[in-house]
C-alpha cells in the first residue's frame, strides 16, 4: 500500500498542515522535500532511519572486504611463489649441460655462473644445485657452497618434485626441490629454487594501497547510492515519520473501503492480496478470501481467468451472477513494482439493456458498411449474389439463398412469369437440404417467396412450423430442413427500380430468437444494396454479350482455301470486356497469301465496331495487291480521317491501334512484312529454333507523319510463322520483354503442326482471367515445286509472241492441261502483245499450277492498263476485255521495277 500511495503522488492537505504544526512546535520550520537532503535525513523520518542503517551496513561490508582482500592477496602470493619456484627449479634441472656439469671435476665452477644468471632472470632469491648427499654446488652467497642444504631432499631423491616452506639460511622461505635424472631414471643431483617469505609478503603489502583505495572508492559509491535511495524514499514518503505513515495508511484504508467501486489486488502468482468491501459484495467473496488463489474463490471461469492473467483490461464486461461488472485491470510492475495486478470493478447492470441495444445498432451499421464495400466487387451476376450470401452468414442469418430469374443471369430484363434459378448459397453447414445452387425453382402461390414476388415487399415468417404455405411448397424437403433446426425466415425481393430480379431468403437455425421487425428492416436494406450491384452486373453482362456477339460476327468464321500455308488460329476474348483484336488470312494473286493481325485500343462496343471497320479496310486494300508498307500507309490515313470525324462528334478516338501485315509467296518462299506499333512476329524454323523477326517498328495507326518500312525474309518450307496480339505477351505484372521470352519457351516445346503450336502456346501463356483479348495465328509454310512453275524471258519483238504460245502449249501438255491450251494461248497472246507494245523491257512470262492456273506477264513499265469497250469500227482495244471474259480473275500488281498483269483460270 505504501508503494501504491507513493505512486499516486497525493496526500491529504489536512495531514500536511498537521505535520507542519508539529515541526513548528519542535522549533523547526515546515519544509518540502526539495529544501535540502541532509537536514531532512534525520532519524525522525523513515528516510533518515534507512540512511543511517545503510551507512552502518556499508561500513561493515567495506571492512570485511578489505580483510578478505588482504588475506586472499597473501594466499595468492604464496601460491605464486610455490609455482614460480617449482617452474624455475624444473627448468634449470632440465637445462642442457646441468646434468653433464655434475660429472665435471669442479661442478661449482661450471654451475655457479649459470645458476646466478638464471636466478636474476627468473627473479627468485636462490637457485641451489646439490649432490645426492645434500651438499651445495651453488648458492647466492659463495660462503654457503659446500655446506649441507637446509630442507627436505628425500622425495626428490626418489624422483619426485615438491615444494615446502622452511626457515633457511637466508630466512623464512618457500622453496622447491627437483631431481636431476639420467636417461635411465637414476637421480644424480638436485636443484632447489626459492623465494623468501619477506619478499612474498612484500608483494602483498604493495597491494594494500590499491586495496584500501578500492575500498574507499566503494565506500564513497555505496554512501552515494544510499543517499540517492534515501532521497528517493524521502521524496516518496514526503519526509513522513513512522507515526505519520501509519496515520496516512489508516486514512487511505478508510477511503479504500468506503468507495462504491470494488478494488482488488492480486499477486503475480494469482493469490488475492486485498479486496475492499465493495469488491467483497460485488464478487460475493468468502470471508477468508484474502490469501487464496482467485480460481478457488467460486468466481465464474472468465472472471477468474482475467484476474489470474494480470493482463491489461479496460471496461471489460463480465456477467457475475445477475450483475454486469465492468472490470479495469492494470499490472503493478509497469514501473518496477512487485508482480501482480490491481483491478477495479464497477456495477453496470442498469446499463445492460442500453448497451445491448447499442451493440446491436453498431453491428447493423457495421454490416451495412461491409455490404457497401464488399458487394459488387466484380461485374459478375453470380459472384455478386454469392458475395451477399457470404456477408451475412453467420452474423445475421445462419443460411442465405439467392434466387434469380434466368434472364438476369444472361443479362436480359427479368420475366416475372418464369421460374427462378438458385444462384448462390451460404450457410454454417453444407448438408442442409435446401434447393441446391443451379436448380430451377417454381414457388407455389401460397409460399412466402411467391407472396414476396407478387407484392414486391419482404415477408417475415417468425415461426416456420406454423407457416402452412411454406410447408406446402415441398412437404418432404421442408420437413428435412426443419430437422436441421431452421425455424425462422425472411424473404425479400431484389428490386432495381421497377424490375424484380429475384429473391433473397434469410434462414435462422442456431440463434433461438426468431426474426423480428428490426431484422426485416435490416434485411431489406441489405437486399436493396445488393440489388443495385446485381443490376449493374446484369447490364454489364448484356453489353458484354452484345459486344462479344458483334465482335465474333466481324471476325472470320472460316479460313479461305489456299495452298501456300497451313493455318491454325485462336481467338480468346477478355473476361473483363471485349476488345478490338482481329486477324485475317487473305489469298492474293500469284498463289500468295497475306496474314494480318491487328489490335484496337479500348474495350466494348466501340472497339469492336472500329475493329470491323479496320478489317473491312484491310480486305479492300489487299485487293489492290499493295505492298505491306503501302497498305499500312493507307490504313493509317484512314484512321486519321476517322479520328477527325469522331473528334467532332465527341466520340472515342482510334489512335493507338496496331497492325501487322505479312505477305508470303510460295513460289519464291519470300515473306514481306510491315508493322504499325505491333509486337514482332515469331518464326519457328524446321529444326525447332525460335527467333523474333527484326521487322522495323512503325508508329501505331493514326499518328501519321512517319513512313512504314518492310522487311523481307526467306522461309524454309515447313517453317512456322507466329503472329499474335499483345494480350498474349503483356500484362500488368510483367513487361513485354519477359512475355516474349516466355512465348519463346512455349514455342520451343510445341509440336510441329500449327494446331499443336496453338494449343501449346495457349496452355502455357493464357492467364486464368485474361484482361485483354488474345488473337493468335500459326502458319506453316509450303512451297511450289519446280514442276509447278514455268517462266520465260520474252524479247521486245512482236514475233516472240508465237514462241511464247508454243512454249506454253508444251508446258500445259506436260502438266496434262490440254483442255486449257486454247484459252491460255489467247490470254498470253493479248498480255504479251500489250507488254511489248505499251510496256518496256525486261518482259517475262510465268505460269503457275496451283489451285488455279495462273498466267503472269511482267514488264518494266508502271503504266496502268485500262479495260475498254471498243466500238464496232475500232481495230483494237479488245485485248483486256477478251482476257476479262476468258479468265476467272485478272488484275495488276505493281512492283518496285515495273508491274505484273495476271489472270487466273480454273483447272479443268
Amino acid at each position: 500500500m505504501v508503494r501504491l500511495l507513493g505512486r499516486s503522488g497525493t496526500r491529504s492537505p489536512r495531514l500536511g498542515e498537521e505535520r507542519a504544526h508539529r515541526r513548528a512546535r519542535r522549533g523547526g520550520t515546515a519544509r518540502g522535500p526539495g529544501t535540502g537532503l541532509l537536514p531532512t535525513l534525520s532519524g525522525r523520518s523513515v528516510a533518515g532511519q534507512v540512511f543511517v542503517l545503510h551507512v552502518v551496513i556499508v561500513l561493515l561490508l567495506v571492512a570485511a572486504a578489505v580483510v578478505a582482500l588482504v588475506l586472499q592477496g597473501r594466499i595468492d602470493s604464496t601460491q605464486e611463489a610455490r609455482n614460480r619456484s617449482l617452474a624455475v627449479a624444473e627448468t634449470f634441472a632440465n637445462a642442457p649441460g646441468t646434468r653433464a656439469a655434475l660429472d665435471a671435476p669442479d661442478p661449482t665452477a661450471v654451475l655457479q655462473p649459470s645458476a646466478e644468471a638464471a636466478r636474476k632472470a627468473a627473479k627468485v632469491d636462490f637457485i641451489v644445485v646439490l649432490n645426492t648427499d645434500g651438499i651445495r654446488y651453488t648458492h647466492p652467497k659463495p660462503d654457503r657452497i659446500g655446506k649441507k642444504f637446509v630442507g627436505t631432499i628425500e622425495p626428490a631423491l626418489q624422483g619426485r618434485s615438491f615444494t615446502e616452506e622452511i626457515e633457511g639460511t637466508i630466512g623464512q622461505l618457500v622453496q622447491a626441490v627437483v631431481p636431476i635424472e639420467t636417461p635411465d631414471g637414476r637421480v644424480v643431483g638436485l636443484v632447489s629454487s626459492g623465494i623468501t617469505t619477506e619478499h612474498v609478503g612484500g608483494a602483498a603489502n604493495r597491494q594494500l594501497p590499491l586495496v584500501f583505495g578500492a575500498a574507499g572508492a566503494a565506500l564513497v559509491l555505496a554512501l552515494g547510492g544510499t543517499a540517492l535511495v534515501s532521497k528517493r524514499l524521502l521524496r516518496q514518503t514526503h519526509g513522513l515519520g513512522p507515526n505519520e505513515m501509519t496515520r496516512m495508511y489508516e486514512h487511505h484504508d478508510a477511503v479504500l473501503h468506503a468507495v462504491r467501486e470494488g478494488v482488488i489486488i492480486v499477486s503475480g502468482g494469482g493469490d488475492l492480496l486485498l479486496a475492499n468491501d465493495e469488491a467483497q459484495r460485488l464478487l460475493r467473496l468468502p470471508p477468508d478470501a484474502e490469501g487464496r488463489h482467485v480460481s478457488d474463490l467460486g468466481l465464474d471461469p472468465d472472471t477468474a481467468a482475467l484476474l489470474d492473467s494480470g493482463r491489461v483490461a479496460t471496461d471489460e464486461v463480465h456477467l457475475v451472477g445477475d450483475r454486469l461488472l465492468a472490470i479495469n485491470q492494470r499490472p503493478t510492475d509497469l514501473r518496477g513494482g512487485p508482480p501482480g495486478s490491481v483491478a477495479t470493478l464497477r456495477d453496470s447492470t442498469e446499463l445492460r439493456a442500453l448497451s445491448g441495444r447499442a451493440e446491436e445498432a453498431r453491428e447493423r451499421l457495421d454490416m451495412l458498411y461491409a455490404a457497401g464495400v464488399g458487394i459488387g466487387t466484380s461485374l459478375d451476376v453470380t459472384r455478386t449474389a454469392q458475395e451477399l450470401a457470404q456477408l451475412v452468414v453467420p452474423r445475421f442469418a445462419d443460411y442465405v439463398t439467392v434466387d434469380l430469374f434466368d434472364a438476369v443471369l444472361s443479362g436480359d430484363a427479368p420475366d416475372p412469369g418464369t421460374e427462378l434459378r438458385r444462384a448462390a448459397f451460404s450457410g454454417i453447414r453444407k448438408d442442409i437440404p435446401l434447393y441446391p445452387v443451379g436448380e430451377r425453382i417454381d414457388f407455389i402461390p401460397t409460399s412466402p417467396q411467391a407472396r414476396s414476388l407478387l407484392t414486391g415487399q419482404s415477408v417475415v415468417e417468425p415461426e416456420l412450423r406454423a407457416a402452412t404455405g411454406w410447408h406446402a411448397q415441398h412437404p418432404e424437403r421442408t420437413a428435412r430442413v426443419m430437422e436441421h433446426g431452421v425455424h425462422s425466415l425472411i424473404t425479400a425481393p431484389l428490386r432495381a427500380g421497377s424490375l424484380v430480379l429475384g429473391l433473397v431468403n434469410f434462414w435462422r437455425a442456431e440463434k433461438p430468437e426468431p426474426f423480428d421487425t428490426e431484422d426485416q428492416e435490416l434485411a431489406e436494406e441489405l437486399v436493396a444494396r445488393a440489388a443495385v450491384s446485381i443490376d449493374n452486373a446484369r447490364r454489364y453482362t448484356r453489353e458484354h454479350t452484345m459486344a462479344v456477339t458483334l465482335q465474333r460476327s466481324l471476325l472470320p468464321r472460316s479460313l479461305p482455301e489456299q495452298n501456300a500455308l497451313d493455318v491454325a488460329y485462336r481467338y480468346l476474348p477478355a473476361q473483363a470486356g471485349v476488345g478490338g483484336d482481329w486477324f485475317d488470312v487473305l489469298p492474293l494473286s500469284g498463289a500468295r497469301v497475306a496474314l494480318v493481325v491487328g489490335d484496337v485500343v479500348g474495350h466494348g462496343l466501340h472497339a469492336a465496331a472500329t475493329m470491323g471497320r479496320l478489317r473491312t479496310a484491310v480486305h479492300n486494300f489487299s485487293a489492290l495487291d499493295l505492298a505491306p508498307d503501302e497498305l499500312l500507309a493507307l490504313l493509317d490515313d484512314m484512321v486519321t480521317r476517322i479520328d477527325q470525324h469522331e473528334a467532332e462528334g465527341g466520340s472515342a478516338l482510334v489512335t493507338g491501334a496496331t497492325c501487322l501485315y505479312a505477305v508470303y509467296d510460295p513460289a519464291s518462299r519470300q515473306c514481306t512484312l510491315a508493322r504499325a506499333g505491333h509486337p514482332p512476329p515469331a518464326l519457328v524454323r524446321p529444326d525447332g529454333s525460335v527467333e523474333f523477326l527484326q521487322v522495323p517498328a512503325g508508329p501505331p495507326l493514326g499518328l501519321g507523319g512517319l513512313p512504314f518500312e518492310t522487311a523481307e525474309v526467306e522461309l524454309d518450307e515447313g517453317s512456322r510463322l507466329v503472329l499474335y496480339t499483345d494480350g498474349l505477351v503483356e500484362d500488368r505484372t510483367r513487361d513485354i520483354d519477359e512475355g516474349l521470352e516466355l512465348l519463346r519457351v512455349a514455342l520451343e516445346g510445341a509440336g510441329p503442326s500449327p494446331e499443336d503450336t496453338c494449343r501449346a502456346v495457349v496452355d502455357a501463356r493464357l492467364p486464368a482471367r485474361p484482361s485483354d483479348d488474345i488473337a493468335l495465328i500459326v502458319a506453316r509454310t509450303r512451297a511450289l515445286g519446280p514442276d509447278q512453275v514455268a517462266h520465260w524471258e520474252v524479247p521486245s519483238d512482236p514475233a516472240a509472241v508465237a514462241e511464247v504460245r508454243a512454249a506454253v502449249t508444251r508446258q500445259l501438255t506436260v502438266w496434262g492441261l490440254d483442255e486449257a491450251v486454247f484459252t491460255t494461248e489467247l490470254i498470253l497472246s493479248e498480255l504479251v502483245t500489250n507488254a511489248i507494245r505499251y510496256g518496256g523491257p525486261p518482259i517475262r512470262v510465268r505460269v503457275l499450277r496451283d489451285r488455279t492456273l495462273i498466267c503472269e506477264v511482267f514488264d518494266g513499265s508502271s503504266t496502268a492498263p485500262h479495260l475498254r469497250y471498243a466500238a464496232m469500227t475500232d481495230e483494237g482495244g479488245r485485248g483486256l476485255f477478251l482476257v476479262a471474259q476468258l479468265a476467272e480473275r485478272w488484275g495488276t500488281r505493281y512492283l518496285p521495277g515495273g508491274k505484273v498483269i495476271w489472270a487466273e483460270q480454273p483447272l479443268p
Side-chain angles (χ1 to χ4, degrees):
M1 289 301 298
V2 172
R3 181 179 299 275
L4 293 175
L5 295 173
R7 283 186 179 180
S8 66
T10 61
R11 64 175 183 271
S12 171
R14 181 178 179 183
L15 184 61
E17 294 176 0
E18 292 176 359
R19 184 181 60 190
H21 287 307
R22 285 196 301 272
R23 287 181 176 174
R25 286 196 300 268
R26 290 195 298 264
T29 59
R31 64 181 70 201
T35 57
L37 175 61
L38 293 179
T40 314
L41 291 179
S42 62
R44 298 176 182 176
S45 66
V46 174
Q49 294 175 2
V50 171
F51 178 76
V52 173
L53 179 61
H54 281 188
V55 168
V56 173
I57 294 174
V58 169
L59 289 175
L60 292 176
L61 292 176
V62 169
V66 170
V67 173
L69 287 174
V70 171
L71 294 177
Q72 185 63 38
R74 291 186 179 276
I75 294 172
D76 292 343
S77 298
T78 301
Q79 185 62 38
E80 175 64 22
R82 287 176 176 269
N83 296 337
R84 192 192 306 174
S85 298
L86 182 60
V88 172
E90 289 179 343
T91 302
F92 194 82
N94 297 317
T98 301
R99 182 173 55 81
L102 296 177
D103 298 332
D106 187 4
T108 300
V110 177
L111 295 173
Q112 178 67 11
S114 300
E116 286 301 301
R119 178 182 66 81
K120 294 177 181 179
K123 297 182 180 180
V124 295
D125 290 330
F126 67 88
I127 297 178
V128 177
V129 182
L130 318 172
N131 61 15
T132 55
D133 296 328
I135 303 301
R136 302 187 184 98
Y137 287 144
T138 65
H139 197 279
K141 295 180 180 181
D143 58 340
R144 307 292 175 88
I145 298 175
K147 295 182 180 181
K148 188 72 173 180
F149 176 72
V150 179
T152 305
I153 64 174
E154 285 75 11
L157 292 175
Q158 297 176 4
R160 292 187 292 106
S161 301
F162 71 97
T163 60
E164 61 179 348
E165 296 184 22
I166 65 169
E167 181 69 31
T169 59
I170 59 176
Q172 187 74 22
L173 54 85
V174 177
Q175 67 180 9
V177 182
V178 177
I180 303 175
E181 297 177 338
T182 61
D184 58 359
R186 184 169 55 87
V187 177
V188 296
L190 307 172
V191 176
S192 177
S193 175
I195 302 176
T196 60
T197 306
E198 177 184 358
H199 290 169
V200 174
N205 293 335
R206 287 192 298 272
Q207 295 177 358
L208 285 178
L210 179 61
V211 171
F212 283 113
L219 178 60
V220 172
L221 292 176
L223 291 177
T226 301
L228 292 177
V229 171
S230 299
K231 183 177 181 181
R232 182 176 180 182
L233 182 60
L234 176 67
R235 183 171 62 252
Q236 292 181 346
T237 60
H238 302 285
L240 298 178
N243 294 334
E244 294 172 329
M245 292 292 296
T246 301
R247 291 187 59 191
M248 177 174 288
Y249 171 78
E250 293 173 349
H251 289 174
H252 282 263
D253 188 63
V255 173
L256 179 67
H257 291 284
V259 295
R260 302 306 299 168
E261 188 172 87
V263 178
I264 60 175
I265 302 177
V266 180
S267 70
D271 297 328
L272 180 64
L273 300 180
L274 181 144
N276 68 349
D277 295 342
E278 185 68 8
Q280 295 272 356
R281 184 182 68 84
L282 293 175
L283 297 178
R284 299 177 182 178
L285 299 176
D288 60 342
E290 294 185 359
R292 295 170 58 182
H293 197 274
V294 292
S295 61
D296 300 332
L297 301 179
L299 302 175
D300 67 279
D302 290 342
T303 306
L306 171 62
L307 299 178
D308 187 23
S309 67
R311 62 178 173 84
V312 175
T314 301
D315 288 336
E316 190 169 310
V317 179
H318 285 254
L319 183 62
V320 180
D322 58 347
R323 298 179 182 276
L324 199 65
L325 302 183
I327 301 178
N328 291 272
Q329 182 169 268
R330 296 293 184 273
T332 58
D333 55 355
L334 292 178
R335 299 180 183 177
S341 60
V342 177
T344 60
L345 304 92
R346 185 174 64 256
D347 189 356
S348 58
T349 305
E350 65 278 3
L351 300 177
R352 182 176 184 179
L354 180 61
S355 63
R357 289 194 296 270
E359 179 65 21
E360 290 178 3
R362 187 198 64 79
E363 178 67 19
R364 292 173 185 271
L365 290 176
D366 182 63
M367 194 179 305
L368 291 175
Y369 172 77
V373 299
I375 299 177
T377 59
S378 68
L379 292 174
D380 183 85
V381 174
T382 303
R383 184 176 177 183
T384 304
Q386 188 64 36
E387 288 172 348
L388 168 63
Q390 292 176 346
L391 173 71
V392 297
V393 174
R395 301 167 65 182
F396 176 67
D398 298 315
Y399 302 96
V400 174
T401 57
V402 181
D403 306 323
L404 300 174
F405 291 105
D406 279 335
V408 174
L409 295 172
S410 60
D412 296 329
D415 185 0
T418 61
E419 298 176 337
L420 286 86
R421 186 180 298 274
R422 182 134 297 172
F425 164 81
S426 180
I428 57 176
R429 295 177 57 182
K430 302 299 182 182
D431 58 346
I432 187 169
L434 294 170
Y435 289 107
V437 174
E439 185 167 338
R440 296 175 63 91
I441 307 172
D442 186 9
F443 291 105
I444 64 175
T446 59
S447 65
Q449 290 84 355
R451 286 186 282 131
S452 178
L453 288 175
L454 180 62
T455 62
Q457 303 295 325
S458 62
V459 175
V460 180
E461 290 288 354
E463 294 293 338
L464 285 177
R465 292 187 179 276
T468 57
W470 178 68
H471 283 278
Q473 172 69 33
H474 196 303
E476 181 181 354
R477 184 185 295 274
T478 55
R480 287 188 287 121
V481 169
M482 295 191 66
E483 290 176 358
H484 282 69
V486 175
H487 60 83
S488 189
L489 165 69
I490 296 178
T491 179
L494 279 162
R495 298 184 57 182
S498 60
L499 298 178
V500 177
L501 308 177
L503 286 170
V504 181
N505 303 293
F506 302 90
W507 313 83
R508 182 166 287 180
E510 295 292 330
K511 298 179 181 179
E513 301 86 2
F515 287 120
D516 55 19
T517 304
E518 293 184 356
D519 294 328
Q520 183 181 7
E521 294 175 355
L522 176 60
E524 291 175 350
E525 183 68 24
L526 291 171
V527 171
R529 299 193 179 200
V532 175
S533 298
I534 291 177
D535 189 53
N536 289 339
R538 177 190 68 84
R539 295 174 183 272
Y540 171 79
T541 301
R542 180 184 61 188
E543 294 184 3
H544 181 75
T545 303
M546 293 172 58
V548 169
T549 303
L550 173 61
Q551 186 183 45
R552 292 193 180 278
S553 67
L554 296 175
L555 289 172
R557 299 183 181 181
S558 61
L559 297 181
E561 296 181 354
Q562 44 82 31
N563 290 340
L565 298 169
D566 289 331
V567 180
Y569 66 92
R570 293 289 189 276
Y571 179 79
L572 303 169
Q575 293 290 333
V578 175
D581 293 12
W582 91 92
F583 65 93
D584 251 320
V585 178
L586 306 173
L588 302 178
S589 63
R592 298 172 305 129
V593 177
L595 300 175
V596 58
V597 173
D599 185 4
V600 176
V601 294
H603 294 83
L605 290 173
H606 181 267
T610 303
M611 176 270 290
R613 299 167 74 179
L614 294 182
R615 179 170 176 259
T616 302
V618 171
H619 269 263
N620 294 333
F621 294 152
S622 66
L624 300 177
D625 263 334
L626 299 174
D629 56 335
E630 296 177 359
L631 185 143
L632 290 182
L634 292 177
L635 198 62
D636 177 68
D637 182 65
M638 188 197 78
V639 171
T640 301
R641 287 184 281 107
I642 291 177
D643 281 347
Q644 292 175 352
H645 177 73
E646 298 289 349
E648 295 175 358
S651 302
L653 302 181
V654 187
T655 301
T658 65
C659 184
L660 171 63
Y661 191 81
V663 176
Y664 173 69
D665 186 351
S668 62
R669 293 187 287 107
Q670 291 288 329
C671 183
T672 307
L673 308 97
R675 61 186 178 121
H678 205 80
L683 176 63
V684 185
R685 298 195 179 275
D687 60 0
S689 61
V690 180
E691 65 174 299
F692 290 96
L693 298 179
Q694 299 299 318
V695 181
L701 300 175
L703 295 182
L706 295 176
F708 297 97
E709 301 179 50
T710 60
E712 288 193 2
V713 59
E714 183 175 340
L715 303 180
D716 297 330
E717 187 173 9
S719 299
R720 282 167 285 163
L721 191 63
V722 182
L723 283 66
Y724 53 89
T725 54
D726 59 357
L728 187 67
V729 295
E730 190 176 15
D731 58 27
R732 299 176 181 176
T733 60
R734 58 176 172 267
D735 57 20
I736 191 171
D737 292 334
E738 182 180 356
L740 291 175
E741 184 59 31
L742 293 175
L743 176 59
R744 178 198 300 273
V745 173
L747 290 174
E748 289 175 347
S753 71
E755 187 64 31
D756 292 340
T757 305
C758 282
R759 186 181 304 110
V761 170
V762 171
D763 292 344
R765 302 294 304 119
L766 181 65
R769 293 183 59 85
S771 59
D772 195 5
D773 290 9
I774 296 176
L776 172 66
I777 298 180
V778 179
R780 184 172 59 186
T781 60
R782 296 175 178 174
L784 293 178
D787 60 336
Q788 294 179 278
V789 181
H791 53 83
W792 301 272
E793 296 289 335
V794 180
S796 185
D797 182 0
V801 177
E803 298 177 2
V804 171
R805 285 200 304 267
V808 170
T809 300
R810 291 192 297 270
Q811 184 63 51
L812 292 181
T813 302
V814 173
W815 285 345
L817 301 177
D818 297 323
E819 298 180 7
V821 169
F822 178 72
T823 305
T824 305
E825 285 183 345
L826 289 178
I827 292 175
L828 284 178
S829 296
E830 295 297 331
L831 296 180
V832 172
T833 300
N834 283 344
I836 294 173
R837 181 177 300 175
Y838 303 110
I843 300 173
R844 293 189 292 270
V845 173
R846 186 173 72 166
V847 180
L848 307 176
R849 180 171 61 85
D850 189 38
R851 300 181 68 87
T852 60
L853 183 63
I854 305 170
C855 300
E856 296 180 339
V857 178
F858 171 84
D859 69 84
S861 172
S862 59
T863 57
H866 297 284
L867 181 64
R868 297 171 52 191
Y869 294 94
M872 295 295 294
T873 57
D874 292 339
E875 295 184 0
R878 298 177 177 83
L880 288 181
F881 180 79
L882 180 62
V883 170
Q885 296 300 314
L886 296 176
E888 187 176 62
R889 292 195 312 151
W890 76 281
T892 303
R893 180 170 73 249
Y894 291 93
L895 302 177
K899 67 178 181 295
V900 173
I901 302 178
W902 54 271
E904 291 184 5
Q905 307 172 65
L907 293 177

